[in-house]
Amino acid sequence: MAARFSGVLQLTDLDDFIGPSQECIKPIKVEKQAGKAAAKIRIEADGSYFQIDQAAAPNEQKLVVVSVSPQSRASLAAKCKMGVLETAKKLTTFLKSLGVHYVFDTTFSRNFSLLESQREFVRRFRRQTEDRKALPMLASACPGWICYAEKTHGSFIIPYISTTKSPQQVMGSLVKGYFAEQQHLTPDQIYHVTVMPCYDKKLEASRPDFFNQQYQTRDVDCVITTGEVLKLLEQEGVSLSDVDPGPLDTMLSSAAEELSTHPGGGSGGYLEHIYRHAAKELFGIHVDAIEYKPLKNKDFQEVTLQRDGEVLLQFALAYGFRNIQNLVQKLKRGKSPYHYVEVMACPSGCLNGGGQIKLEGGSKDELQHVERLYESPKAEIPEENQAVAELYEHWLGGRDSEKAVGTLHTEYHPVEKANTSFNIKW
Ligand code: SF4
């Protein structure tokens, strides 16, 4: 039945489902110019935005690094009918044939996002009596949600949002910081591209907060979506299944050379990681299995930790704007019972992002196939990753150092109601 309706109509459908790669968020209109890469974006009064200028493409002097998201890899694997490891190895070869020097995986940087979110939650929980906006902590990894929050609910909602950077932006800091140092380069001598499941990651990368004034460079210079990678393959006349697999790159020699994933769903597993950590840290409870209770629809679910009938922790995930709006209204009325909410703009989360490859038919079964692929690598626990521990200790100078906070956290800015289209700030 869904196929008879447009994506817009399906957004108001009962279960809020939209098929893989239907646009949850408006895409950027790009006037193509040969040999140039994405750069400036202009935002109009009606919220539409488009590219107005193009930065120079990486020249020969720059080291080119591509960081691929695990959601994009799973989408490509489903399209090419391959496993995710095979896809990662072949994609590495393909990108290197285009002149890319290193291909990394943002699962690595997500370890930092998860660890920082866990610790931030515990800090906020402990100060909830003196700071009434310490809780609920709201997830910060989805730029679709962040843009909406800044524009629509500004200073009311911002204090609730976790300050932890998203995996894309942590990767930006690692590549232009740690990796640049290792290569004896300045940040502007690296051209950093990410491959992401949505167009909104382009907006995230273009935020002034992620611009290095000293070196006049962005942490992420260019974002391409999964669908744009597929187009690139088609333009080059390459079928990924015919490409020879290449070895995977790692940023540190101590990092694992095989793929890994984080349990807890295709949007990064924030709820699960924070929940387990908080249960142990705050109440000494070890959580084995996490039981989700669906509420109004499958994109709004709750998880509750109880002891002797007392609710200790109440978490939720709220995906899609309909559920987000409900959540914000509850917060405004002081009726939200939650300590943490994993907020994501796309119904079904990041695996269903607007930049993912549209599969034939766009059915729920196909999305489930992408989910299975995404979950197929070995699950890793961020606390046990040696390379991450090493970077905290030797590069960031400890978990609570000023450098760690500056590198792994960000801030948000309310966008005042504009009188004209030129006043809108992102
Ligand atoms: Fe992007 Fe959608 Fe994921 Fe948000 S939920 S980060 S908009 S893919």
Side-chain angles (χ1 to χ4, degrees):
M1 183 184 83
R4 296 208 304 272
F5 297 102
S6 72
V8 174
L9 279 176
Q10 285 172 58
L11 277 172
T12 59
D13 196 356
L14 271 185
D15 69 359
D16 215 9
F17 179 78
I18 57 170
S21 108
Q22 284 181 306
E23 286 143 5
C24 59
I25 300 295
K26 291 177 189 173
I28 297 168
K29 283 185 255 167
V30 178
E31 296 298 327
K32 283 208 175 127
Q33 289 178 31
K36 302 232 174 156
K40 283 188 186 167
I41 289 164
R42 189 162 84 205
I43 296 137
E44 296 294 304
D46 64 357
S48 63
Y49 45 83
F50 57 91
Q51 188 173 316
I52 53 169
D53 188 16
Q54 308 244 345
N59 57 34
E60 296 80 55
Q61 285 98 47
K62 294 210 181 194
L63 189 82
V64 183
V65 175
V66 177
S67 301
V68 182
S69 71
Q71 292 87 358
S72 300
R73 198 169 45 231
S75 177
L76 274 168
K79 174 70 184 171
C80 302
K81 301 190 169 41
M82 298 190 297
V84 281
L85 181 60
E86 202 183 357
T87 303
K89 290 184 166 180
K90 288 174 181 249
L91 186 62
T92 300
T93 304
F94 169 67
L95 291 169
K96 289 191 175 176
S97 76
L98 301 177
V100 172
H101 299 100
Y102 290 91
V103 181
F104 296 136
D105 175 3
T106 61
T107 309
F108 181 64
S109 55
R110 194 167 62 195
N111 283 302
F112 291 90
S113 299
L114 290 169
L115 288 169
E116 289 300 310
S117 299
Q118 290 172 350
R119 285 157 47 84
E120 184 183 350
F121 177 78
V122 168
R123 280 197 303 273
R124 282 171 172 258
F125 192 94
R126 288 186 171 138
R127 62 161 214 262
Q128 62 180 301
T129 40
E130 65 261 32
D131 177 359
R132 69 183 178 83
K133 286 200 170 181
L135 295 179
M137 182 169 107
L138 305 176
S140 57
C142 170
W145 146 241
I146 297 297
C147 288
Y148 166 80
E150 287 181 328
K151 273 180 83 176
T152 317
H153 303 287
S155 38
F156 167 75
I157 206 84
I158 284 172
Y160 294 107
I161 302 174
S162 160
T163 59
T164 301
K165 280 186 190 173
S166 72
Q168 167 172 276
Q169 294 310 138
V170 172
M171 199 56 162
S173 301
L174 291 175
V175 166
K176 296 279 179 117
Y178 173 78
F179 190 64
E181 282 166 32
Q182 296 307 300
Q183 301 292 314
H184 306 292
L185 296 171
T186 53
D188 55 324
Q189 290 175 311
I190 294 184
Y191 192 82
H192 183 207
V193 182
T194 59
V195 178
M196 289 286 145
C198 68
Y199 293 89
D200 281 35
K201 286 284 170 187
K202 298 180 193 244
L203 283 178
E204 181 179 67
S206 70
R207 289 173 71 88
D209 308 87
F210 305 131
F211 185 75
N212 181 329
Q213 288 292 346
Q214 189 188 351
Y215 291 99
Q216 293 291 299
T217 186
R218 296 192 179 284
D219 295 340
V220 176
D221 296 288
C222 176
V223 180
I224 52 177
T225 64
T226 322
E228 286 166 344
V229 171
L230 185 68
K231 267 194 204 144
L232 197 58
L233 282 157
E234 286 166 359
Q235 271 166 19
E236 297 293 315
V238 174
S239 162
L240 202 56
S241 49
D242 297 337
V243 175
D244 289 335
L248 302 179
D249 292 326
T250 54
M251 207 178 287
L252 275 86
S253 53
S254 55
E257 279 170 24
E258 293 303 293
L259 291 181
S260 60
T261 191
H262 294 116
S267 300
Y270 286 87
L271 181 148
E272 286 207 21
H273 283 79
I274 296 169
Y275 184 79
R276 286 178 198 282
H277 178 79
K280 196 157 163 233
E281 191 73 17
L282 296 166
F283 304 106
I285 297 175
H286 174 81
V287 174
D288 279 324
I290 294 186
E291 219 176 285
Y292 287 88
K293 182 174 142 210
L295 297 178
K296 288 183 183 154
N297 51 69
K298 67 174 176 42
D299 277 333
F300 201 159
Q301 304 196 35
E302 256 182 30
V303 177
T304 309
L305 182 74
Q306 295 194 21
R307 186 165 52 194
D308 305 328
E310 184 199 352
V311 173
L312 302 177
L313 290 175
Q314 196 159 12
F315 282 24
L317 53 83
Y319 290 1
F321 279 107
R322 189 180 54 161
N323 290 323
I324 291 176
Q325 277 163 359
N326 283 339
L327 172 74
V328 173
Q329 288 320 316
K330 270 191 185 159
L331 265 173
K332 286 194 163 171
R333 292 199 302 267
K335 299 255 185 250
S336 162
Y338 304 117
H339 296 110
Y340 175 80
V341 188
E342 184 180 289
V343 188
M344 296 285 158
C346 295
S348 303
C350 294
L351 290 173
N352 192 38
Q356 294 283 70
I357 297 166
K358 188 166 166 47
L359 300 170
E360 285 127 42
S363 70
K364 289 184 185 181
D365 287 352
E366 283 165 339
L367 182 59
Q368 279 166 3
H369 179 54
V370 178
E371 271 165 20
R372 283 194 295 277
L373 284 163
Y374 171 87
E375 287 163 5
S376 61
K378 179 173 66 71
E380 82 162 313
I381 299 168
E383 290 90 329
E384 293 175 3
N385 187 310
Q386 280 314 307
V388 170
E390 221 172 279
L391 279 174
Y392 264 115
E393 197 181 325
H394 299 300
W395 182 57
L396 294 170
R399 283 285 185 108
D400 298 311
S401 71
E402 217 174 286
K403 186 172 177 182
V405 175
T407 306
L408 303 172
H409 291 259
T410 184
E411 37 186 64
Y412 311 102
H413 317 280
V415 178
E416 301 309 330
K417 288 248 178 328
N419 294 327
T420 73
S421 61
F422 300 108
N423 288 346
I424 299 177
K425 294 178 213 140
W426 289 81

